[in-house]
Amino acid sequence: MKKFFILLLFFGIQYSFISCSKDSENNEAETLTETISLNVSYGNDPQQKYDLYLPANRSVSKTKVILLIHGGGWVEGDKSDMDLFIPYIKLRHPNHAIVNINYVLADADTPAFPNQFLDVDAVINKLTSEKDELQILPEFALIGASAGAHISLMYDYVYDTDDQVKMVGDIVGPTDFTDPFYSENPNFPVLMAALVDESAYPSGTNYMEVLSPALRVSADSSPTLLFYGSEDPLVPLTNGNTLNTALIAFQIDHNFTVYEGGHGDWAPMAIENMKEQISTYIDTHLAVAQ
């Protein structure tokens, strides 16, 4: 009888401790207010900055992260180009954190590849290491436009070895540099040579292939949304078709949408449809626990 009483007392104490811990965590989460931190540094380069939007009542057990990556042909653009998504995301997904990043733009001294992929890795590593301080759960959606979509796809398909990325939104991203649209352009090899840090790749690497996300799809690739224009002068619709075919072959959950128009200059109804699809995917693949 005495032994039974001691066991009962022990489990009572354990239950009380767990309950208090959960209550403490919940109370702490409830005291956290919305926080916005602009131009947070994640590296030594002045361009390595991001804007961080942390929701109220966040916690390390539930607050997942939506990461935005701007376009600009790898050589220009700014995180402010993605600001239009932020009010929509905050309205539709008020319990998610948002990170809007700058990466080091390519120039004569700093090639784009693989450095821009590694910039995304540095952001994710920094956020992961600070998860307790920030009260976030380091699981991510990557939403990229144009070159930012290419960077997002490459990061998920090649660099996300810890499977922290749970979905990718690809808005007019280049996916296949072996496409005749690129490979038959006499100026493109010069551009590719300028964008690649050859010292970071083995001798004899076929850069057209290794830097093409559609050719790097695997069974480990994350669910992917594809949005392309029917008459895009910069990224051919065939690039969307090629990625769509690869995702089908590996049975990756995805959706492929083609809008009338060019490089993202679509009708307002199309833009709203794109946002709604992204939102539905966030609800499905980056859901916040209640």
Side-chain angles (χ1 to χ4, degrees), residues 6 26 40 57 83 97 108-109 128-129 134 139 142 152-153 177 189 204 217 231 241 273 280 283 286 290:
I6 292 171
N26 290 336
V40 179
N57 303 326
D83 281 350
D109 297 319
T128 300
S129 69
L134 300 174
E139 295 182 5
L142 303 185
S152 300
L153 293 166
F177 294 129
V217 176
E231 300 176 7
N241 293 331
N273 175 264
T280 299
D283 286 338
L286 203 74
Q290 299 301 318

Side-chain angles (χ1 to χ4, degrees), residues 179-194:
D179 189 304
F181 180 88
Y182 299 112
S183 64
E184 294 180 4
N185 181 337
N187 296 320
F188 191 73
V190 177
L191 173 63
M192 184 61 70

Side-chain angles (χ1 to χ4, degrees), residues 85-106:
F85 285 100
I86 293 171
Y88 180 85
I89 294 171
K90 291 174 75 172
L91 177 65
R92 290 296 303 271
H93 305 283
N95 296 315
H96 284 77
I98 306 169
V99 180
N100 190 11
I101 80 164
N102 272 343
Y103 46 87
V104 179
L105 301 174

Side-chain angles (χ1 to χ4, degrees), residues 51 53 68 78-88 100:
D51 297 339
Y53 302 81
L68 305 175
D78 185 80
K79 53 186 167 61
S80 61
D81 299 337
M82 300 296 282
D83 281 350
L84 75 162
F85 285 100
I86 293 171
Y88 180 85
N100 190 11

Side-chain angles (χ1 to χ4, degrees), residues 1-286:
M1 186 68 178
K2 182 178 179 182
K3 184 176 181 181
F4 174 77
F5 175 77
I6 292 171
L7 286 172
L8 195 61
L9 181 62
F10 172 78
F11 284 114
I13 291 171
Q14 289 291 93
Y15 177 78
S16 175
F17 175 76
I18 292 168
S19 298
C20 289
S21 296
K22 287 183 177 178
D23 288 342
S24 175
E25 180 181 330
N26 290 336
N27 290 336
E28 182 181 353
E30 289 171 3
T31 64
L32 294 175
T33 59
E34 180 182 7
T35 302
I36 299 174
S37 301
L38 302 179
N39 293 313
V40 179
S41 178
Y42 66 90
N44 295 325
D45 193 288
Q47 295 181 76
Q48 291 176 310
K49 301 281 178 63
Y50 60 72
D51 297 339
L52 174 63
Y53 302 81
L54 295 173
N57 303 326
R58 59 192 175 274
S59 80
V60 75
S61 64
K62 69 176 184 180
T63 306
K64 301 178 185 180
V65 185
I66 299 166
L67 200 153
L68 305 175
I69 307 178
H70 71 82
W74 305 283
V75 298
E76 59 184 7
D78 185 80
K79 53 186 167 61
S80 61
D81 299 337
M82 300 296 282
D83 281 350
L84 75 162
F85 285 100
I86 293 171
Y88 180 85
I89 294 171
K90 291 174 75 172
L91 177 65
R92 290 296 303 271
H93 305 283
N95 296 315
H96 284 77
I98 306 169
V99 180
N100 190 11
I101 80 164
N102 272 343
Y103 46 87
V104 179
L105 301 174
D107 59 22
D109 297 319
T110 309
F113 314 132
N115 295 309
Q116 291 174 358
F117 313 140
L118 298 178
D119 278 355
V120 176
D121 196 49
V123 170
I124 287 178
N125 287 340
K126 176 176 171 62
L127 293 167
T128 300
S129 69
E130 297 175 354
K131 65 183 179 66
D132 293 322
E133 174 188 344
L134 300 174
Q135 285 294 292
I136 59 170
L137 176 59
E139 295 182 5
F140 299 86
L142 303 185
I143 312 297
S146 194
H150 170 261
I151 294 167
S152 300
L153 293 166
M154 282 293 296
Y155 185 80
D156 179 66
Y157 296 175
V158 179
Y159 293 85
D160 181 33
T161 55
D162 293 329
D163 191 30
Q164 290 180 270
V165 177
K166 303 304 178 183
M167 60 160 282
V168 180
D170 160 23
I171 306 169
V172 296
T175 71
D176 180 14
F177 294 129
T178 69
D179 189 304
F181 180 88
Y182 299 112
S183 64
E184 294 180 4
N185 181 337
N187 296 320
F188 191 73
V190 177
L191 173 63
M192 184 61 70
L195 290 174
V196 175
D197 179 359
E198 296 186 3
S199 68
Y201 296 92
S203 177
T205 295
N206 185 328
Y207 301 116
M208 299 285 206
E209 290 183 359
V210 301
L211 296 170
S212 295
L215 308 183
R216 307 301 301 270
V217 176
S218 72
D220 295 325
S221 299
S222 294
T224 305
L225 285 169
L226 293 71
F227 304 102
Y228 287 85
S230 60
E231 300 176 7
D232 192 331
L234 300 177
V235 178
L237 182 55
T238 49
N239 263 216
N241 293 331
T242 301
L243 179 54
N244 181 54
T245 299
L247 293 168
I248 290 171
F250 283 95
Q251 300 182 327
I252 303 301
D253 185 6
H254 72 288
N255 197 39
F256 178 31
T257 304
V258 180
Y259 300 117
E260 291 296 322
H263 197 65
D265 53 344
W266 308 320
M269 187 176 296
I271 299 295
E272 289 306 309
N273 175 264
M274 178 187 70
K275 290 180 180 177
E276 183 61 34
Q277 287 196 53
I278 292 172
S279 183
T280 299
Y281 246 51
I282 290 170
D283 286 338
T284 302
H285 299 290
L286 203 74

